[in-house]
Amino acid sequence: MNRPTPSPALLIIYTGGTIGMLENPETGALESFDWEQLRRHVPELKRFGYRIDVESFDPPIDSSDMTPCDWQRIVRLIEAGYDRYDGFVVLHGTDTMAYTASALSFMLENLDKPVIFTGSQLPIGQLRTDGKENLLTAIEIAAARDDDGRPMVPEVCIFFESQLMRGNRTTKINAEGFNAFRSYNYPALAHAGIHIRYDRHLIRRPDPARRFKPHYLLDTNVIILTLFPGIRREYVEQVLRFKGLKGLILKTYGAGNAPQQPWLVDRLAALRRQGVVLVNITQCSLGTVEMRRYGTGLQLLQAGVINGYDSTLESMVTKLMFLLGHGYDMPTVERLMNTSVAGEITTDGPTAGFFGTTH
Ligand code: ASP
């Protein structure tokens, strides 16, 4: 006889964002309101029959104000509730949601419960809001189990409009439409229509032999350099003068190409000799870096720039902060940057759900 499964217990972490904002009548600008006000707009929450608790940022914040300290706060809340809850829903502003979701995908090692981010483009108090659908479906996904009673999606994800996407593959692409996020280089993990259809073979599973392990160490000594035709040497020199620099993300053209200017390539090679990790990602949304394809890419490879494959910017920045934060030596950081540790890049090489850390 099947034993009845207890109804799921979920924790909502409300950080802020448009979903919980109200128009200030004096200025017309949107400002945050608290969870109680937000909850009153979603009476449907009671109909789930789940135990739903809430932890709220006080005050809730616009996600443009999110910092790595806030990522650590969210991880702390998840760690504190890990044994009590079956899944987590994080309500977050859309502007930097992809950064937070990417960071958490690295900080929550061997996660075996769903952590589903969502938010909205219109406040939940407005008639045409997309917030209600997003919140209710995110809750349903966080509570979903497979036939063996295991969480359906034990990953950090973003659910928005009708798609469930891996958090570290996702980017905000739309400041206007409801369909605000895309995962260009990895298919959606689920589609929500009349039914929520999960693509199980795309979903990562934790290593059952290992325990969940939260991480808090991050190092923000990283910068992003976006190339553009006419980029001036003085500008690059100024940017690279940053004291304490440990990681540089180069946003290159196409398949990972840069102008063939000896001053640029020599400067990069010198940086690498000084111990700065250099990573190449493309300005294109779709596709991957292949530095051997053109001379303009090969020169970067020869200067010691490593391949960022098909990474999003959000994932690359947060992964670099995460790895540098752990104080690994340069070869280890470079090796792990070229390894898929949380499903964030597509490489030919091995994937590792393992950070190789004792921290
Ligand atoms: N500025 C808002 C935020 O990111 C935008 C949103 O939530 O859609 O917090």
Side-chain angles (χ1 to χ4, degrees):
M1 199 177 80
N2 284 343
R3 270 194 295 161
T5 39
S7 80
L10 302 180
L11 179 67
I12 294 179
I13 300 172
Y14 172 47
T15 70
T18 295
I19 193 163
M21 287 185 180
L22 215 57
E23 201 173 287
N24 178 323
E26 275 157 36
T27 63
L30 290 174
E31 292 171 0
S32 298
F33 60 68
D34 65 23
W35 166 256
E36 270 317 307
Q37 290 166 291
L38 193 151
R39 193 188 52 81
R40 277 202 288 278
H41 289 282
V42 202
E44 295 87 345
L45 281 173
K46 290 205 192 79
R47 292 173 50 189
F48 276 117
Y50 306 153
R51 195 182 103 218
I52 299 178
D53 294 336
V54 178
E55 289 281 356
S56 187
F57 275 28
D58 185 19
I61 60 174
D62 187 298
S63 78
S64 302
D65 287 325
M66 278 273 165
T67 64
C69 292
D70 297 306
W71 306 340
Q72 291 162 338
R73 252 165 109 182
I74 302 172
V75 171
R76 225 170 274 124
L77 290 171
I78 292 174
E79 181 182 14
Y82 202 74
D83 295 332
R84 273 179 292 138
Y85 297 102
D86 300 297
F88 302 85
V89 172
V90 184
L91 295 182
H92 194 290
T94 57
D95 290 346
T96 67
M97 188 188 291
Y99 286 92
T100 308
S102 296
L104 260 64
S105 76
F106 304 116
M107 296 165 82
L108 302 173
E109 184 181 349
N110 211 42
L111 181 71
D112 63 356
K113 299 188 177 185
V115 175
I116 313 297
F117 278 74
T118 197
S120 68
Q121 294 280 67
L122 273 181
I124 215 151
Q126 292 195 7
L127 221 47
R128 289 193 310 110
T129 184
D130 50 332
K132 254 189 199 186
E133 292 302 318
N134 286 348
L135 171 59
L136 297 174
T137 311
I139 288 175
E140 203 167 321
I141 291 169
R145 296 174 192 176
D146 64 17
D147 296 340
D148 300 323
R150 299 176 308 174
M152 191 68 97
V153 196
E155 287 208 39
V156 178
C157 297
I158 290 180
F159 175 77
F160 221 86
E161 238 228 348
S162 57
Q163 292 197 73
L164 182 72
M165 295 157 279
R166 176 171 297 157
N168 59 31
R169 292 289 195 155
T170 306
T171 299
K172 181 173 179 182
I173 51 108
N174 198 332
E176 163 75 21
F178 288 151
N179 205 341
F181 288 90
R182 283 283 186 294
S183 164
Y184 284 108
N185 289 318
Y186 196 76
L189 306 182
H191 295 269
I194 291 176
H195 303 284
I196 301 176
R197 300 208 183 277
Y198 295 91
D199 240 318
R200 291 180 193 212
H201 70 285
L202 297 172
I203 298 172
R204 273 171 70 83
R205 290 259 144 224
D207 177 351
R210 294 178 41 245
R211 283 181 63 80
F212 162 69
K213 183 170 179 191
H215 292 264
Y216 294 94
L217 300 174
L218 297 163
D219 187 332
T220 54
N221 284 305
V222 301
I223 57 172
I224 301 159
L225 180 64
T226 304
L227 299 179
F228 56 91
I231 191 167
R232 294 177 62 109
R233 181 175 186 172
E234 297 88 323
Y235 166 72
V236 174
E237 286 299 341
Q238 280 299 333
V239 172
L240 298 183
R241 206 159 287 154
F242 164 42
K243 273 220 174 63
L245 179 64
K246 292 189 188 152
L248 169 71
I249 295 166
L250 209 53
K251 282 198 81 181
T252 58
Y253 307 127
N257 306 314
Q260 298 180 80
Q261 300 281 355
W263 63 262
L264 177 64
V265 181
D266 293 349
R267 188 71 176 87
L268 291 172
L271 272 181
R272 175 134 191 290
R273 282 195 297 276
Q274 287 161 27
V276 178
V277 177
L278 312 171
V279 198
N280 185 352
I281 61 170
T282 170
Q283 293 175 27
C284 298
S285 306
L286 198 66
T288 191
V289 165
E290 284 180 77
M291 282 187 279
R292 291 184 192 280
R293 192 138 146 224
Y294 298 93
T296 45
L298 190 61
Q299 56 165 357
L300 297 179
L301 190 67
Q302 287 161 346
V305 180
I306 61 167
N307 197 336
Y309 295 94
D310 56 352
S311 179
T312 62
L313 174 67
E314 294 88 335
S315 171
M316 191 48 74
V317 175
T318 55
K319 183 175 177 183
L320 206 42
M321 287 182 185
F322 172 83
L323 293 177
L324 292 171
H326 283 75
Y328 298 129
D329 58 15
M330 194 178 183
T332 307
V333 175
E334 290 189 339
R335 179 177 60 76
L336 289 171
M337 286 304 286
N338 275 182
T339 308
S340 166
V341 297
E344 72 284 4
I345 48 174
T346 316
T347 66
D348 304 331
T351 56
F354 174 57
F355 303 111
T357 169
T358 50
H359 296 277

